Amino acid sequence: MIFSSLEFIFKFLPVFLFFYFVCPDRAKNICLLAGSLLFYFSGVTDHPAYMMLLLLSVCVNYCIGRKMERYKSRFRRRKWLRLGIAYNLFWLILFKYSGFLMEQFSLLLQIGGLEKAALSIPHPALPLGISFYTFQAISYQADVYRREVPPEKSFLDFALYMTMFPQLISGPIVSYASLRKLIKKRVHTLEQVEEGLREFTIGLGLKVLLSNQIGGLWSQIGAVGYESISTPLAWMGLAAFSLRLYFDFYGYSLMARGLGRVLGFPLPHNFNHPYMALTMTDFWRRWHMTLGGWFRNYVYIPLGGNREGSFKTFRNMLAVWLLTGLWHGTSPNFLLWGIVLFALISLEKLGLGKLLERWRVAGHVYMLFAIPLTWMLFAITDFSQLGIYIQRLFPLLAPAGKYTYFAGDFLKYGRSYGLSLCAGLIFMTGLPRRLYDRKRESLCTAIALLIIFWLCVYCMKMGANDPFMYFNF
């Protein structure tokens, strides 16, 4: 069950909201916790043990937080912090990276002539949301260790913080400090409900009407084969993937934010029109802002940030970008993606960024190429296929006559996806949002949102819907 599904919109959400709003205030947290656990269980019915893993994570992190409260000594608290971080990362590494590590070990055995000793590696499905709730648990422990927040004494309230369904499986990653008072007591108004449902509808439209439609082009290019596409279609495909990824995750974040608003929790913004950035540095301040904030607060700054000279600053940046790549996946392409981003941001830090910010046209042209090319490293996991795609983007790099393709293929696909791509280019700017904010209270806006909602329902009914891409991470 996902936000952009008929089951969620017409079954789970209405029933849950009915019970949530009719129950007394003192019981609302119990209702929300029960609804969140039911929502999560519906997504892991094929792997019920993952439900137990989530509950175990809640119990262990709660107990470690209470243990740290007992000690005034920073040294004793640090021992419990390390234990908590090790516990959380153990499960993340086990499910996300153990298969990759064992494959490399088996490969070494084969190279050494020990084929019989090579292992058959099982690949269990990644537990839903483990990357996000793990980072959220670590942030809680770190904040308690620093004495920035007191450990939560109520197990119910802590469990609610860890499992609240609007942001459980794909963020945004929220700190305990930002929700602590609201978990204890919050206000519910019809205005909040209306505003939240509006945000949910906008996010649903971005996911179903833009991301899913644009994503069809990238899927078809993969089916045709990279060696059989023209250079214009290769660039069009990268643009499609870039827009699909943005509207998929931005749409989810708006839906999560809208649901949080309905429930009385103002969840943080996760995107700020990143494709309008002039530099890659600014892009990553605008993209998945809560993940970037997590790496800044719990990796970059603890390593020393930019306080200990240029060498250590760049070392800390490299650590952050390598970890960001590994967080997204174990394939070597994700490490390469992180390294390339580190290189670009380092160049900008050395002076390129100031030039691009001064010459805005140059900044936009630079990002016009930098964004899709870096997402190409993110999207294509096979290095041989990545090499082919690069040759299709830059045909001078390919031997003459190596590839054959239909010269007018980009026109064919342009007729099918041109409207969606143009809409994506418009909605990646801040113009539609500014227009919405200006006309928020008008009748036309209300009618437009109703039309968007029912168009989404029609598309979902016809089966034109895909799971959120970030569920894979």
Side-chain angles (χ1 to χ4, degrees):
M1 181 166 57
I2 60 177
F3 292 167
S4 58
S5 68
L6 297 177
E7 182 184 11
F8 177 82
I9 293 172
F10 290 107
K11 292 182 179 179
F12 175 85
L13 191 59
V15 174
F16 166 75
L17 290 180
F18 171 78
F19 284 105
Y20 181 77
F21 284 113
V22 299
C23 72
D25 288 347
R26 63 180 180 275
K28 277 184 167 48
N29 283 356
I30 297 175
C31 180
L32 179 51
L33 177 60
S36 297
L37 294 177
L38 177 62
F39 174 80
Y40 188 82
F41 183 74
S42 72
V44 296
T45 50
D46 293 337
H47 305 277
Y50 293 170
M51 184 73 187
M52 300 306 298
L53 180 63
L54 173 64
L55 295 175
L56 184 62
S57 179
V58 171
C59 295
V60 170
N61 283 283
Y62 171 78
C63 292
I64 289 177
R66 295 301 304 274
K67 282 288 185 181
M68 280 193 279
E69 181 187 24
R70 296 173 54 186
Y71 300 107
K72 293 183 179 180
S73 165
R74 193 177 182 91
F75 173 76
R76 301 288 291 273
R77 295 202 312 275
R78 187 182 297 123
K79 290 175 63 176
W80 282 104
L81 174 66
R82 289 172 176 170
L83 177 64
I85 291 175
Y87 169 82
N88 286 294
L89 292 182
F90 168 78
W91 292 111
L92 186 62
I93 292 170
L94 176 67
F95 284 102
K96 203 166 186 176
Y97 307 112
S98 60
F100 171 76
L101 294 174
M102 293 300 292
E103 283 177 0
Q104 305 312 304
F105 180 68
S106 293
L107 182 60
L108 288 175
L109 291 177
Q110 293 175 25
I111 292 174
L114 301 174
E115 292 87 351
K116 292 183 179 180
L119 304 175
S120 177
I121 311 298
H123 290 280
L126 187 67
L128 188 63
I130 189 171
S131 298
F132 290 90
Y133 70 70
T134 295
F135 273 25
Q136 195 150 299
I138 291 175
S139 75
Y140 168 77
Q141 291 185 5
D143 290 346
V144 170
Y145 163 76
R146 297 168 180 171
R147 297 288 173 88
E148 294 179 1
V149 295
E152 179 53 63
K153 292 181 172 59
S154 167
F155 180 79
L156 170 64
D157 290 354
F158 179 76
L160 181 58
Y161 162 70
M162 285 286 292
T163 65
M164 191 163 50
F165 77 88
Q167 47 79 229
L168 171 61
I169 53 180
S170 276
I173 301 169
V174 292
S175 68
Y176 171 68
S178 67
L179 294 184
R180 176 170 167 259
K181 292 182 179 179
L182 292 171
I183 290 175
K184 301 294 183 185
K185 184 178 181 181
R186 55 193 176 275
V187 176
H188 301 88
T189 66
L190 287 176
E191 182 181 359
Q192 287 179 349
V193 173
E194 180 191 0
E195 182 182 345
L197 293 178
R198 283 169 174 258
E199 287 291 293
F200 181 87
T201 301
I202 294 171
L204 183 67
L206 293 177
K207 164 61 179 169
V208 176
L209 303 181
L210 279 181
S211 175
N212 291 347
Q213 309 309 315
I214 294 171
L217 175 56
W218 180 251
S219 299
Q220 289 197 24
I221 287 175
V224 169
Y226 301 151
E227 66 279 356
S228 302
I229 61 175
S230 67
T231 294
L233 183 57
W235 283 103
M236 190 185 298
L238 272 191
F241 179 83
S242 301
L243 292 171
R244 176 196 181 191
L245 183 65
Y246 172 53
F247 291 119
D248 185 278
F249 200 20
Y250 182 35
Y252 176 91
S253 295
L254 282 180
M255 282 188 270
R257 186 171 160 78
L259 291 170
R261 190 65 174 157
V262 169
L263 300 174
F265 296 94
L267 299 179
H269 287 286
N270 223 6
F271 293 87
N272 182 23
H273 311 300
Y275 288 175
M276 302 309 295
L278 299 174
T279 64
M280 192 58 71
T281 304
D282 189 34
F283 176 87
W284 282 99
R285 290 193 191 108
R286 297 165 175 248
W287 177 281
H288 203 341
M289 294 186 288
T290 58
L291 179 65
W294 192 95
F295 275 110
R296 180 184 65 250
N297 295 330
Y298 303 107
V299 179
Y300 181 68
I301 292 176
L303 286 175
N306 59 0
R307 303 187 303 272
E308 300 179 15
S310 297
F311 174 77
K312 290 188 176 180
T313 296
F314 285 105
R315 179 205 65 183
N316 299 339
M317 288 170 53
L318 177 60
V320 165
W321 285 109
L322 288 177
L323 289 173
T324 301
L326 284 173
W327 184 84
H328 283 91
T330 57
S331 302
N333 69 296
F334 288 110
L335 278 177
L336 177 61
W337 173 71
I339 291 170
V340 169
L341 289 172
F342 162 74
L344 291 175
I345 292 173
S346 296
L347 288 173
E348 292 172 5
K349 195 173 185 67
L350 292 171
L352 177 61
K354 291 183 179 179
L355 292 175
L356 295 172
E357 289 172 354
R358 184 181 305 168
W359 302 95
R360 298 180 64 85
V361 173
H364 284 302
V365 172
Y366 162 74
M367 293 301 289
L368 183 67
F369 288 94
I371 290 173
L373 287 174
T374 53
W375 282 140
M376 173 186 66
L377 303 176
F378 185 92
I380 303 175
T381 58
D382 186 293
F383 273 14
S384 64
Q385 291 297 305
L386 180 61
I388 292 172
Y389 207 96
I390 291 173
Q391 291 179 346
R392 299 317 307 130
L393 292 172
F394 306 101
L396 292 177
L397 298 178
K402 183 176 181 180
Y403 299 110
T404 59
Y405 56 88
F406 173 53
D409 57 359
F410 68 98
L411 295 175
K412 170 189 172 184
Y413 288 102
R415 284 191 290 269
S416 300
Y417 294 97
L419 186 60
S420 296
L421 288 171
C422 288
L425 293 173
I426 293 171
F427 276 87
M428 77 178 192
T429 71
L431 179 62
R433 187 72 197 196
R434 288 195 297 271
L435 181 61
Y436 168 76
D437 289 338
R438 193 178 305 135
K439 303 291 185 181
R440 180 190 300 266
E441 305 302 327
S442 71
L443 178 62
C444 291
T445 299
I447 294 173
L449 289 175
L450 280 174
I451 292 173
I452 289 171
F453 176 79
W454 289 110
L455 279 175
C456 291
V457 170
Y458 173 78
C459 290
M460 289 185 287
K461 182 69 175 177
M462 298 303 293
N465 195 25
D466 295 314
F468 289 93
M469 297 175 71
Y470 257 73
F471 286 177
N472 298 321
F473 306 112

